[in-house]
């Protein structure tokens, strides 16, 4: 076997997967058909859940230094200021990173690419996957190298992180179901001045559509996203200058453009792969699902796909778990992709529809409604949970088991375990639980009860924490609706696997052998 996992594609998804496999000691090869890292910013919004994962990977501080925390969105209608939606720290108490970080995809890829070195890995550029043959216990992958020569390698598993035109998907003949949207979009990185509120997102809504102005690093540096006017849709060599008149018309004449460093037009599709796994091949990120950029979810969803699959692949490759565990990747991530496609589709229809009623809603109602709703704390928190991806749960998945007795309001199996600040010794220092948790292991959290001897079969990959009764803990647990006593067995990705009131050793053993498929070591 040349390697255990071949990661095809060194975009954000592939880089995250290679990092997560590398730090778990799994033999990994990562290839990309391009000559080097992409210099395009593309995605801009980094969500809280991604930052939590970056924290375990040791790159969160650099991401925070490089990025800008979004503090608010300013909505303009017909060229006039209409409302401001506060966005800064709306997820207080829910995540150590209660905001959206504005940081370009190129910067994210650079940080993830540099982190690969910690595990002795690097991307093999100029290397394209052109053929695949799946056998019962291995895959033969044909790679085209920079000199044009073909090389065959034998690998145990293939992860298709190779974007919307995925070769892994096409070579496995997996359908990519969906359709393109009718509208054509443009994206431009510019140096410009205008009435936009500095350092904040500015959204210009007008009867036929919208323009978004994202603040970027540097002075007067803005990313603009908009709809190409219908009369220019079919124009072959569309340039930035072509779309400037429509922008001036809608966003006002006060815009002054100094420079445009990147301009691209693109058609957005909404599509999902019919399967996320075919025997020894997996699809992740844009290879598995693409949707409109509403809500800045695309890149973040790919990163979460990788985080979900990595710990499972590591258990299987290291011989601890049976291959059946890998089915849970699609069982858990496909519903997430489906929900995302539906919600972004609905939101997108509102912001792009040409219908009179939609235009009226966009310019007369939407801004005020959003500004009003986001002043209500409950709505703020709901919006944050949804957009930040901390609300993603796998309650109906095959790895979730909630034992009887937990109240409905308590965190349940499948949920991301909430962020808590607790003391681990009575009257001791208050610590950030997320910083304590080891995401290369399972974590057993015992609340108001002593630690057990261990959990059979999990012990080498298990860390345990006892949360004592203490005033600080009482308050924090109550806030998160966590019962005392209770126990939570967390998977390495921070989602609850098994949850219950009093620790039950036989339920834990059953969970490990039947759900995690972890075999008894001989
Ligand atoms: C213009 C534009 C603007 C966008 N704006 C946003 C935004 O604001 N917010 C947001 O969340 N998302 C946005 N997106 C989407 C976001 O960029 C993607 O969701 C994200 O890049 C997905 O990452 P990925 O790693 O899955 O795929 P990709 O980034 O597409 O990476 C796939 C990689 O695979 C490589 N590859 C492909 N085929 C092969 C092969 N056969 N062999 C070897 N390597 C191969 C490619 O070279 C590429 O490097 C935007 C996309 C575009 C095009």
């Amino acid at each position: 076997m040349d390697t255990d996992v071949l990661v095809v594609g060194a975009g954000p998804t592939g880089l995250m997967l290679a990092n997560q496999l590398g730090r778990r000691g799994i033999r990994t090869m990562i290839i990309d058909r391009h000559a080097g890292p992409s210099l395009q910013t593309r995605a801009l919004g980094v969500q809280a859940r991604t930052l939590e994962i970056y924290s375990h990977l040791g790159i969160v501080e650099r991401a925070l230094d490089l990025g800008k925390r979004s503090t608010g969105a300013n909505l303009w209608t017909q060229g006039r200021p209409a409302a401001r939606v506060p966005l800064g720290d709306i997820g207080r108490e829910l995540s150590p990173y209660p905001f959206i970080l504005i940081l370009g995809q190129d910067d994210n890829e650079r940080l993830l690419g540099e982190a690969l070195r910690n595990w002795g890995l690097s991307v093999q550029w100029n290397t394209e996957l052109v053929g695949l043959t799946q056998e019962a216990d291995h895959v033969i992958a044909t790679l085209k190298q920079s000199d044009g020569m073909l090389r065959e390698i034998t690998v145990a598993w293939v992860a298709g992180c190779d974007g919307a035109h995925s070769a892994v998907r096409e070579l496995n003949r997996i359908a990519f179901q969906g359709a393109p949207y009718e509208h054509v979009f443009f994206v431009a990185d510019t140096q410009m001045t205008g009435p936009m509120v500095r350092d904040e997102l500015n959204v210009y809504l007008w009867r036929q559509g919208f323009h978004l102005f994202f603040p970027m690093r540097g002075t007067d540096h803005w990313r603009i996203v908009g709809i190409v006017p219908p009369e220019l849709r079919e124009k072959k060599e569309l340039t930035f200058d072509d779309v400037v008149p429509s922008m001036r018309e809608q966003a006002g004449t006060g815009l002054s453009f100094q420079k445009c460093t990147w301009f691209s037009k693109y058609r957005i599709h909404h599509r999902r792969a019919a399967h996320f796994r075919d025997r020894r091949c997996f699809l992740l990120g844009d290879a598995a699902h693409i949707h409109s950029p509403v809500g800045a979810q695309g890149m973040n969803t790919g990163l979460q796909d990788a985080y979900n699959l990595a710990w499972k692949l590591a258990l299987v490759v290291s011989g601890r778990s049976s291959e059946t565990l890998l089915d849970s990747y699609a069982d858990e991530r496909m519903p997430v992709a489906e929900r995302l496609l539906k919600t972004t589709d609905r939101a997108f229809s509102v912001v792009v529809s040409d219908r009179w009623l939609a235009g009226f809603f966009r310019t007369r109602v939407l801004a005020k409604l959003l500004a009003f709703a986001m002043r209500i704390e409950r709505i703020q928190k709901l919006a944050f949970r949804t957009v930040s991806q901390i609300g993603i749960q796998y309650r109906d998945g095959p790895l979730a088991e909630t034992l009887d007795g937990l109240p409905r309001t308590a965190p349940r199996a499948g949920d991301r375990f909430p962020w808590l600040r607790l003391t681990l010794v009575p009257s001791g220092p208050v610590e950030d639980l997320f910083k304590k948790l080891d995401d290369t292991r399972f974590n057993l959290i015992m609340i108001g009860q002593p630690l057990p001897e261990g959990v059979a079969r999990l012990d080498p990959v298990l860390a345990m924490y006892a949360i004592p009764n203490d005033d600080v803990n009482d308050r924090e647990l109550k806030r998160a609706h966590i019962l005392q006593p209770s126990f939570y067995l967390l998977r390495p990705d921070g989602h609850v696997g098994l949850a219950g009131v009093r620790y039950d050793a036989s339920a834990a053993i059953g969970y490990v052998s039947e759900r995690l498929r972890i075999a008894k070591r001989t």
Side-chain angles (χ1 to χ4, degrees), residues 127-154:
T127 309
E128 182 178 2
L129 176 86
V130 292
L132 273 179
T133 312
Q134 294 216 47
E135 304 291 352
D137 59 355
H138 65 273
V139 183
I140 298 167
T142 310
L143 309 183
K144 190 168 160 203
Q145 302 175 130
S146 52
D147 56 6
M149 299 288 283
L150 297 183
R151 176 163 77 112
E152 278 193 352
I153 59 166
T154 305

Side-chain angles (χ1 to χ4, degrees), residues 9 11-13 32-34 42-43 105 127 129 161-162 167 286 298-299:
T13 307
D32 199 289
R33 69 187 159 99
H34 286 146
R42 298 211 284 172
Q105 185 166 331
T127 309
L129 176 86
C161 307
D162 45 352
D286 275 18
M299 177 177 76

Side-chain angles (χ1 to χ4, degrees), residues 8-15 31-34 38 40-45 105 109 125 127-130 161-168 187 214 223 225 262 264 266 284-287 289-291 293 295-300 302:
V8 185
T13 307
L15 290 168
I31 60 164
D32 199 289
R33 69 187 159 99
H34 286 146
S38 160
Q40 293 181 352
T41 39
R42 298 211 284 172
L44 272 179
Q105 185 166 331
E109 290 181 18
W125 298 107
T127 309
E128 182 178 2
L129 176 86
V130 292
C161 307
D162 45 352
H165 303 287
S166 168
V168 175
V187 51
F214 294 91
R223 150 79 61 87
V225 177
W262 176 49
S264 176
Y266 59 103
L284 301 88
D286 275 18
H289 42 74
I290 47 171
H291 45 82
Q297 301 290 301
M299 177 177 76
N300 295 274

Side-chain angles (χ1 to χ4, degrees), residues 5-9 13-14 17 129 132 134 157-177 271-290 298 301-310 312-313 326-337:
V5 183
L6 171 67
V7 177
V8 185
T13 307
L17 183 65
L129 176 86
L132 273 179
Q134 294 216 47
W157 302 96
V158 175
C161 307
D162 45 352
H165 303 287
S166 168
V168 175
R169 193 185 64 233
E170 282 168 15
L171 291 166
N172 281 301
R173 295 198 175 79
I174 300 173
F176 205 29
Q177 296 154 336
R271 293 181 188 276
R272 177 177 67 69
H275 318 285
F276 284 9
R277 176 185 179 187
D278 179 359
R279 292 161 289 162
R280 296 190 153 265
C281 293
F282 297 89
L283 297 176
L284 301 88
D286 275 18
H289 42 74
I290 47 171
T301 306
L303 296 173
Q304 312 301 326
D305 287 346
Y307 200 51
N308 183 291
L309 180 62
K312 299 172 182 173
L313 260 180
L326 298 173
D327 289 337
S328 67
Y329 164 68
D331 290 338
E332 292 182 341
R333 294 304 294 175
M334 206 181 252
V336 172

